[in-house]
Amino acid sequence: MSNFSKVSVAQDARTELHDKLALTGAEISINNLPAGASVPFVHAHKNNEEIYGILSGKGKVVIDGETVELAAGDWIRIAPAGMRQFFAAEDSAISYICIQVKENSLDSYTGDDAVLPQA
């Protein structure tokens, strides 16, 4: 059995990676909105925080009524209770990654979780 999974992602409106990569600890999606488009719903979560990374383009997210402008290279974390909706700019498409994980579930990371090969 292999210790990795690999998939190529097309420019679909939304690609969810949890099934494609058999993810067990996070939900990750790649999202593409054409210029002037928006996610067609406002939503929040019960338990999961979301981390968004803007891959290209520009737009905005409205969180609890507050508008946050977004551009390529920006990253934003939204708490579960934050009501959110994403919009592409009128003159630019936007492409972003969304990483969804259970809030307060990280108990170790990077150096604390690394296992080095024995010499």
Side-chain angles (χ1 to χ4, degrees):
M1 183 171 157
S2 180
N3 284 324
F4 68 92
S5 300
K6 178 186 174 189
V7 65
S8 292
V9 176
Q11 289 294 319
D12 295 335
R14 180 177 172 89
T15 302
E16 295 182 356
L17 297 178
H18 63 276
D19 290 336
K20 294 181 181 293
L21 293 174
L23 301 178
T24 64
E27 181 177 334
I28 302 173
S29 64
I30 307 298
N31 303 270
N32 297 290
L33 291 173
S38 68
V39 172
F41 54 88
V42 177
H43 76 286
H45 288 278
K46 296 174 187 171
N47 300 304
N48 295 338
E49 65 187 7
E50 289 183 322
I51 303 97
Y52 293 89
I54 309 308
L55 304 174
S56 64
K58 62 184 180 177
K60 66 182 179 182
V61 59
V62 178
I63 307 164
D64 296 332
E66 182 177 342
T67 299
V68 179
E69 298 295 329
L70 300 170
D74 289 346
W75 287 85
I76 186 168
R77 176 215 177 251
I78 304 175
M83 295 298 289
R84 67 209 73 174
Q85 185 176 17
F86 280 78
F87 300 82
E90 289 299 321
D91 62 347
S92 174
I94 190 169
S95 177
Y96 58 92
I97 185 171
C98 176
I99 304 164
Q100 187 179 142
V101 294
K102 185 171 182 173
E103 187 177 44
N104 298 314
S105 65
L106 187 64
D107 59 5
S108 63
Y109 55 93
T110 315
D112 294 336
D113 190 53
V115 178
L116 302 175
Q118 298 298 319

